[in-house]
Amino acid sequence: MSCHGAALQEKPSNDKMKILLMGNPNVGKSVVFSKLTGVHVDSSNYAGTTVDYTVGDINFGSKQGVLIDVPGTYSLEATNEAEKVAVSLLEEGADAVICVLDATHLERNLGLAFELKEYPIPVVYCLNLMDVAERHGIKIDAEKLSEELGSPVIPTIAIKNKGLRELMEMVVKLSKEEKDPEPRLDEQERWERIQEIVSRVQTKIDKKELTFIEKLEDWTVQPWPGIPIALLVLIASLGVVVGGGKALRAVVLLPLVKQVIVPFLTKIVSLIVPAGILRNVLVGEFGILVIGIEWPFALILPYVFLFYVVFSFLEDSGYLPRIGVLADGVLRRIGIQGGNIIPMMLGYGCAVPAILGTRAASTYKERIMVASLVSFAIPCASQSGAFFALLGDRSIFALIFVYLLSILAILAVGIVLNKIVPGRSQPLLLEVPNLLLPDKDAYKKKLKLRMKHFMMDAEGAMFFGIIIAAIIAETGVLNEFSKLLGPFVEGWLGLPREASLSLLLGIIRRELAVLPLLEMNLNTLQLTVGAIVALFYLPCLSVFGVLTKEFSLKTALFIGAITIVSAFFFGGLFNQIGSLIIGVIG
Amino acid sequence: MPLAHGEKLSTYRIEKLPNSHLLKVLGFRKGTQFTIQSKQPFKGPIVVKVGNRSIAIDYDIANEILVEEVTHN
């Protein structure tokens, strides 16, 4: 993620517009954003805050400019970080503001609409979700509303591209005009004025019959059948990621890598580089060009990609906050509110965005707790990929056992942290968004951005780890390490000496603690021990980096030390007990 | 009566509520009417329906919102 922005700091030139896109949360703002912007989209952090926002380029006729997707807010009173950022962006100035209004809930949306009138920037109101409003029996007279607000109101159905051309025409027209700020109304006055306007422009017919979506919306916030539905969704998601990943790997990626790419590279290197250490480092059994291509692209990438495919879909459909509502009762027991389940689920993809995602939590206690839980006990998609590769074919029970252990560890660590971390968590108070089919463009843009950040954050570190692995393994340095760590690895963990390599590499990336074991012909007990060690290990160097950045070096070192010690402790404990049981039975 | 003690599908009107900015901007004021959509086990949140929107309210906050019953399910 780039810093608060090069794209923004530069004063827009005379014909380059700067447009702010604002609105309440959950009004379809990001869909409007993705429809209006081109291919150059990136997310940035607003300097000095924990708030991210997205910037994209716009081209409309001969006009060019940038569109800034301001974080969704209910008001501009700067009572939280998102509102502070929204106010700062308005104060920096812009050529126009597009304010997205939710036609299904006009009254609440008009609060922000009124506050925007106090700024000297022309506003165009985008009355979105007109189709949903109609389904709900709501009719709004856009012309009348425009008269009341003193600014143009354009009705839109962003997801179907309806009204967006008119919206942009109006934005271009207004961006040339000056606008005088209007005096501030006090709260009571504003509220009365809003109710008056709504009664004039909106007509509503009560309808008794619920559509299927409305029924589903209702079911998914009830304990019954909401909790079984949530479990089904999670199982189906896991099925897509695991099954799809496995198929993709076996049918396409592994044959491609093992039979085409690697032999090709080996052949070329053999022609150029004479036999010896250098050739081994490049194309030996652990060679950079062999493992460096096979592990990231054939073993890890398919799982990470499919994880984001599924997660982004659930996120854009408005389903995730519902899981937060259902989980709140249980998560409160470990001291955090239900909404935190979303960064935790994201942790099953990658710990880095999950830890960044804790910024949405409003108290320090929640942030540090979720970040620790993610680092400690939630396997990321790369690591899950490695687990499936390691245990999937050998013992499905060992695989299930490792995941049950992960859930137990979350609860246990949560209970302990709740006792030792001071402070309290912010109580849950949120609007549950409507369920909808995600918009294709918004979804594709999000997926692209996520994969880009994964490539930059994770693949780089992994390749670096593999280079070190290749050098250590192929130059004989590994033997020295093995001698040093050998007694511990063999005696306590019951793994062969060469597994020391896994433990060293695991510090760089967690799945690397698992992958070398694939080549060692281990029994099921040994594989499970390896998986347990990897489960609790610090995820990777990137996570160490992000913990340092978001909290402090001390916190990162503390989490790092605790995770490594418990990884060896529990892995070894499992080996000792397992060996004992096998000894008794055998 | 505190909202936390309300029953599913019954409709209530707010008599008194804590001074919270977020409650206000979510549309909760004195006199606001809503229906309880769901209650969760383990003192989980109360989900209420205001107009077309569902809002989830933490159990402890729901305890501080005093309501009057309008219609019983």
Side-chain angles (χ1 to χ4, degrees):
Chain A
M1 292 192 191
S2 65
C3 275
H4 169 45
L8 300 178
Q9 292 297 4
E10 62 184 66
K11 269 262 162 251
S13 60
N14 281 343
D15 43 82
K16 209 168 178 199
M17 301 183 295
K18 178 175 160 190
I19 313 289
L20 301 179
L21 181 65
M22 304 186 69
N24 285 186
N26 309 318
V27 295
K29 200 161 61 68
S30 56
V31 176
V32 174
F33 179 81
S34 70
K35 298 286 185 188
L36 295 181
T37 52
V39 286
H40 301 293
V41 171
D42 209 349
S43 58
S44 313
N45 175 242
Y46 196 84
T49 69
T50 54
V51 176
D52 283 337
Y53 64 94
T54 317
V55 183
D57 62 316
I58 37 176
N59 284 298
F60 187 77
S62 59
K63 294 291 268 184
Q64 291 176 337
V66 290
L67 184 66
I68 300 171
D69 190 3
V70 181
T73 57
Y74 293 110
S75 75
L76 294 172
E77 296 185 11
T79 51
N80 62 34
E81 292 231 305
E83 291 183 6
K84 277 180 203 153
V85 169
V87 171
S88 309
L89 284 167
L90 277 167
E91 280 169 357
E92 278 175 29
D95 296 299
V97 172
I98 300 174
C99 175
V100 184
L101 303 174
D102 175 355
T104 64
H105 216 92
L106 188 60
E107 187 177 283
R108 205 202 46 228
N109 281 251
L110 286 180
L112 179 70
F114 263 84
E115 284 181 276
L116 280 173
K117 286 149 68 87
E118 296 161 18
Y119 289 84
I121 305 172
V123 184
V124 179
Y125 296 99
C126 164
L127 188 59
N128 196 28
L129 302 176
M130 288 301 277
D131 52 338
V132 185
E134 200 170 319
R135 276 210 302 275
H136 285 300
I138 297 171
K139 279 211 173 77
I140 295 170
D141 186 336
E143 250 170 68
K144 247 191 210 164
L145 181 61
S146 161
E147 279 166 30
E148 299 281 352
L149 286 172
S151 290
V153 175
I154 314 288
T156 62
I157 306 170
I159 199 157
K160 289 182 190 144
N161 271 320
K162 282 193 183 147
L164 295 177
R165 167 161 287 275
E166 292 84 341
L167 178 71
M168 275 315 291
E169 275 166 7
M170 194 52 86
V171 168
V172 170
K173 194 173 141 218
L174 278 197
S175 67
K176 293 177 198 123
E177 293 177 10
E178 296 288 320
K179 180 189 162 244
D180 296 324
E182 289 181 24
R184 190 181 173 82
L185 295 174
D186 85 38
E187 243 219 66
Q188 196 53 37
E189 264 179 303
R190 194 196 301 148
W191 178 242
E192 281 163 13
R193 182 90 179 87
I194 287 173
Q195 295 204 302
E196 196 187 306
I197 293 181
V198 171
S199 69
R200 272 187 213 156
V201 303
Q202 178 177 294
T203 50
K204 203 168 161 183
I205 325 156
D206 266 337
K207 50 178 199 112
K208 290 279 165 272
E209 213 156 291
L210 292 178
T211 61
F212 176 70
I213 292 268
E214 284 169 316
K215 279 186 197 152
L216 200 60
E217 281 173 348
D218 191 53
W219 290 339
T220 47
V221 292
Q222 310 287 349
W224 171 264
I227 292 173
I229 291 176
L231 291 177
L232 272 179
V233 167
L234 294 180
I235 291 170
S237 307
L238 197 68
V240 171
V241 176
V242 177
K246 232 175 152 168
L248 214 59
R249 194 161 68 91
V251 179
V252 185
L253 293 166
L254 270 185
L256 184 72
V257 168
K258 282 200 158 160
Q259 285 155 30
V260 182
I261 300 176
V262 169
F264 175 72
L265 289 172
T266 311
K267 207 167 175 186
I268 291 187
V269 170
S270 308
L271 286 176
I272 306 167
V273 183
I277 286 184
L278 185 60
R279 193 201 277 187
N280 285 345
V281 167
L282 287 175
V283 293
E285 196 191 346
F286 269 94
I288 296 168
L289 295 176
V290 176
I291 300 295
I293 288 172
E294 187 187 323
W295 285 354
F297 294 105
L299 294 184
I300 304 305
L301 195 67
Y303 294 109
V304 174
F305 174 70
L306 287 171
F307 175 84
Y308 282 138
V309 164
V310 171
F311 186 85
S312 308
F313 182 86
L314 291 179
E315 193 174 45
D316 282 7
S317 67
Y319 182 63
L320 291 180
R322 292 156 195 274
I323 298 187
V325 169
L326 296 174
D328 186 64
V330 172
L331 287 190
R332 266 163 59 109
R333 306 279 130 153
I334 62 168
I336 53 180
Q337 60 125 303
N340 288 302
I341 199 154
I342 297 172
M344 283 164 73
M345 285 171 66
L346 191 52
Y348 283 93
C350 176
V352 172
I355 293 168
L356 293 174
T358 64
R359 287 169 170 179
S362 30
T363 68
Y364 182 76
K365 176 175 180 150
E366 280 172 278
R367 289 200 67 199
I368 192 88
M369 281 191 63
V370 174
S372 310
L373 289 173
V374 167
S375 308
F376 194 82
I378 295 183
C380 65
S382 311
Q383 200 189 358
S384 294
F387 283 160
F388 301 145
L390 187 70
L391 294 170
D393 303 329
R394 280 294 271 281
S395 162
I396 194 78
F397 291 109
L399 190 62
I400 293 169
F401 173 77
V402 170
Y403 280 86
L404 283 181
L405 196 66
S406 148
I407 291 169
L408 276 180
I410 291 172
L411 293 177
V413 174
I415 289 168
V416 173
L417 283 176
N418 188 26
K419 293 243 156 54
I420 58 173
V421 181
R424 59 188 295 258
S425 101
Q426 179 82 7
L428 182 102
L429 182 55
L430 61 84
E431 182 181 350
V432 184
N434 291 331
L435 284 181
L436 46 86
L437 207 61
D439 174 66
K440 220 168 57 218
D441 296 328
Y443 177 71
K444 268 196 268 181
K445 271 187 186 163
K446 179 179 261 178
L447 201 58
K448 201 173 124 191
L449 211 57
R450 284 211 155 119
M451 286 314 288
K452 191 175 123 192
H453 284 143
F454 172 75
M455 291 291 188
M456 291 187 324
D457 296 340
E459 295 282 2
M462 188 167 181
F463 202 72
F464 174 68
I466 287 164
I467 292 176
I468 293 183
I471 294 171
I472 291 175
E474 301 292 345
T475 56
V477 179
L478 180 62
N479 291 335
E480 298 302 314
F481 274 118
S482 301
K483 265 185 216 149
L484 210 67
L485 288 172
F488 172 74
V489 172
E490 283 181 330
W492 174 244
L493 295 176
L495 297 173
R497 278 175 181 235
E498 302 83 68
S500 314
L501 175 69
S502 308
L503 303 179
L504 286 174
L505 293 178
I507 296 174
I508 297 166
R509 273 192 68 74
R510 188 154 56 171
E511 73 276 8
L512 291 183
V514 178
L515 292 173
L517 303 177
L518 279 175
E519 331 273 332
M520 286 178 200
N521 202 15
L522 304 177
N523 63 37
T524 307
L525 176 65
Q526 288 174 315
L527 289 174
T528 314
V529 171
I532 292 173
V533 171
L535 174 66
F536 292 124
Y537 231 49
L538 182 75
C540 60
L541 274 185
S542 325
V543 167
F544 187 81
V546 82
L547 285 173
T548 310
K549 198 173 113 222
E550 295 291 304
F551 301 99
S552 68
L553 182 62
K554 214 175 105 195
T555 310
L557 284 172
F558 182 73
I559 293 179
I562 294 277
T563 49
I564 290 175
V565 169
S566 42
F568 289 142
F569 178 75
F570 289 112
L573 195 67
F574 184 79
N575 170 50
Q576 301 296 335
I577 295 172
S579 309
L580 212 66
I581 293 172
I582 290 173
V584 170
I585 295 170
Chain B
M1 165 180 100
L3 162 59
H5 296 175
E7 278 176 44
K8 192 175 142 178
L9 296 179
S10 293
T11 303
Y12 299 89
R13 186 186 304 121
I14 295 184
E15 290 195 313
K16 201 163 165 250
L17 73 170
N19 187 17
S20 144
H21 178 67
L22 189 53
L23 273 177
K24 222 178 267 172
V25 294
L26 283 172
F28 293 98
R29 282 153 205 273
K30 190 170 184 262
T32 304
Q33 275 200 28
F34 56 80
T35 307
I36 293 187
Q37 192 180 4
S38 81
K39 296 182 81 174
Q40 313 289 328
F42 302 117
K43 298 199 173 174
I46 320 284
V47 182
V48 305
K49 209 148 190 184
V50 192
N52 305 307
R53 283 290 160 119
S54 301
I55 318 261
I57 307 175
D58 175 80
Y59 188 88
D60 292 335
I61 298 182
N63 238 336
E64 288 178 43
I65 300 177
L66 300 182
V67 295
E68 184 190 25
E69 191 176 271
V70 179
T71 54
H72 194 266
N73 59 7

